[in-house]
Amino acid sequence: LWAQVLGLERVGVHDNFFELGGHSLLATQVVSRLRDALQIEVPLRLLFEHPTVAELTERLREEQWAAQGIAAPPIEPVPRDGDLPLSFAQQRLWFLDQLEPGSPFYNIPTAVRLTGPLDVAALEASLNEILRRHESLRTTFPTVDGRPRQQIAPELTLSLPVIDLRGLPEAEREAQALRLATEEAQRPFDLAQGPLIRALLLQLDDDDHIALLTMHHIVSDGWSMGILIQEIAVLYDAFSQGRPSPLPELPIQYADFAAWQRKWLQGEVLERQLAYWKEQLADLPPLLELPTDRPRPAVQSFRGRTHSFVLPETLSRAIQELGRREGATLFMTLLAAFQALLYRYTGQERFAVGTPIANRNRAEIEGLIGFFVNTLVLRADFADNPTFRQVLKRVRETALGAYAHQDLPFEMLVDALQPERDLSHTPLFQVMFVLQDTPMGSHRLSHLTLSPVEAETGIA
């Protein structure tokens, strides 16, 4: 099981999960598979405290972990003949879209370079097979009696328009492609009409294309984009050689998850989650007072840019080694450093930092395209002049507690805490920290290579 999750041929019973390349996301997948295989709920913290197969097995024998907490029921298909509820996250995104319709803020774009002889018909067929497989990509959100509902089209065909840039001088093609990528990323969607996915193919040379794929966040997230690219690679490889799809049918769909979430997250389960977060976030200031060089505008613009830089290899190794010594992941170690930087700039001993979490803590939803990602609010505590190792220990404890209570949607937390609303900044936190530890790598097919293209969206 560990070897499968880590992508290794074999793992010894005394090998440390995190020294083999494990991190919080992979640890969550281990817990999901243990739930399916052994029918027990294993706290994520347990894997951090007992990171070898031998230690974890011994601990599971000692304790009846299945009796801890309230086990969630399995996600099962629901009938499609009635009203299908939105998930809590979808409901909030729909509401935000009503406040500012036609906004590109929640577009999720990606650009993929296709190097080699391209079969455009096979690529278009691959995209449409993905639409057939994933109901979420055929879903729109009309308003009925003032309330949104999910409407799933029985079928949907996506066209793949091609823009030929070969007429431009070779030196100008790449820049024009990036300009088109930025324009495409900022083009809004209509949630009621759809479709909420679109594709555009740019041809720079006979064997050089860039595919621009954009989805709305209400039907997708960063993990979903990885699934989309992976399935395109597998399906294109099959269709371009005249073979049928090798992908198995999906046992459940996003609408089943939304119905399950609404049914499960209530009563004692909801109260337990809310109680944890209310205690964690008590007494935090509403605003992180960064000494900016310009006054904060009265209304957020959401304009933003990317600044890229590279850490020296020696520093990267030192950071990873420090984390291993302290029993912390790379995310925890970098977050501690980021919080220390914010503390130096603001002088505030307590503040909050937001971070996204995949929220794919059940094996049956790992392969679905949909809006699962959640936002966690992590407390930073610099009281009593701590050393960096003490800060790292506090960050580790805060992160593990947050992972154990990740099911509470951020929008429900905001509703429960009722922070004072101000259009100049987001509630609960104003900075986010993200570690992209599952980047989209290159996919080498029989006659084609897929690789990511960095394009500026202009959106923060």
Side-chain angles (χ1 to χ4, degrees), residues 5-6 17-18 20-29 44 48 222-223 226 320 328-335 355-360 373 403 433-441:
V5 169
L6 291 166
F17 178 80
F18 298 100
L20 293 174
H23 47 71
S24 304
L25 199 57
L26 294 178
T28 300
Q29 292 184 16
L44 187 63
F48 277 82
W223 181 301
Q320 291 171 327
T329 63
L330 179 61
F331 168 81
M332 296 170 185
T333 310
L334 291 173
L335 176 59
T355 190
I357 188 165
N359 205 26
R360 305 266 183 159
V373 68
Y403 297 156
F433 182 80
V434 187
L435 178 63
Q436 302 285 11
D437 50 8
T438 55
M440 191 197 85

Side-chain angles (χ1 to χ4, degrees), residues 364-392:
E364 59 265 47
I365 61 178
E366 286 179 10
L368 283 181
I369 290 176
F371 184 12
F372 294 95
V373 68
N374 194 18
T375 300
L376 301 179
V377 186
L378 303 180
R379 181 188 187 98
D381 183 0
F382 285 82
D384 304 321
N385 193 28
T387 65
F388 184 77
R389 279 191 168 82
Q390 289 172 325
V391 171
L392 180 53

Side-chain angles (χ1 to χ4, degrees), residues 110-116 118 120 123 160-168 172-185 187 199-213 453 455:
T110 193
V112 182
R113 173 164 259 116
L114 309 165
T115 307
L118 178 65
V120 177
L123 180 59
L160 181 59
V162 180
I163 295 179
D164 193 342
L165 301 178
R166 289 176 295 179
L168 295 175
E172 297 177 16
R173 296 174 195 171
E174 192 77 19
Q176 177 63 7
L178 293 177
R179 277 194 292 271
L180 290 171
T182 300
E183 289 176 12
E184 183 67 8
R187 205 154 56 87
L200 179 64
L201 187 64
L202 310 178
Q203 183 167 13
L204 287 77
D205 212 332
D206 292 348
D207 289 343
D208 186 14
H209 296 75
I210 294 178
L212 304 179
L213 305 167
V453 177

Side-chain angles (χ1 to χ4, degrees), residues 364-435:
E364 59 265 47
I365 61 178
E366 286 179 10
L368 283 181
I369 290 176
F371 184 12
F372 294 95
V373 68
N374 194 18
T375 300
L376 301 179
V377 186
L378 303 180
R379 181 188 187 98
D381 183 0
F382 285 82
D384 304 321
N385 193 28
T387 65
F388 184 77
R389 279 191 168 82
Q390 289 172 325
V391 171
L392 180 53
K393 184 177 180 180
R394 292 176 186 182
V395 167
R396 181 182 184 274
E397 287 303 303
T398 299
L400 289 176
Y403 297 156
H405 298 86
Q406 65 178 276
D407 290 315
L408 184 74
F410 175 72
E411 42 282 345
M412 292 185 74
L413 178 61
V414 173
D415 289 343
L417 295 179
Q418 290 290 304
E420 184 178 340
R421 297 304 181 99
D422 188 325
L423 293 177
S424 71
H425 61 80
T426 55
L428 303 185
F429 64 87
Q430 292 78 49
V431 293
M432 292 195 80
F433 182 80
V434 187
L435 178 63

Side-chain angles (χ1 to χ4, degrees), residues 1-8 11-31 33-34 44 46-56 324 329:
L1 188 150
W2 284 28
Q4 179 190 24
V5 169
L6 291 166
L8 301 174
V11 173
V13 294
H14 298 294
D15 290 342
N16 186 298
F17 178 80
F18 298 100
E19 291 178 2
L20 293 174
H23 47 71
S24 304
L25 199 57
L26 294 178
T28 300
Q29 292 184 16
V30 168
V31 169
R33 283 156 175 74
L34 285 173
L44 187 63
L46 206 62
L47 184 52
F48 277 82
E49 294 173 348
H50 306 279
T52 71
V53 171
E55 290 177 17
L56 186 61
R324 276 194 291 269
T329 63

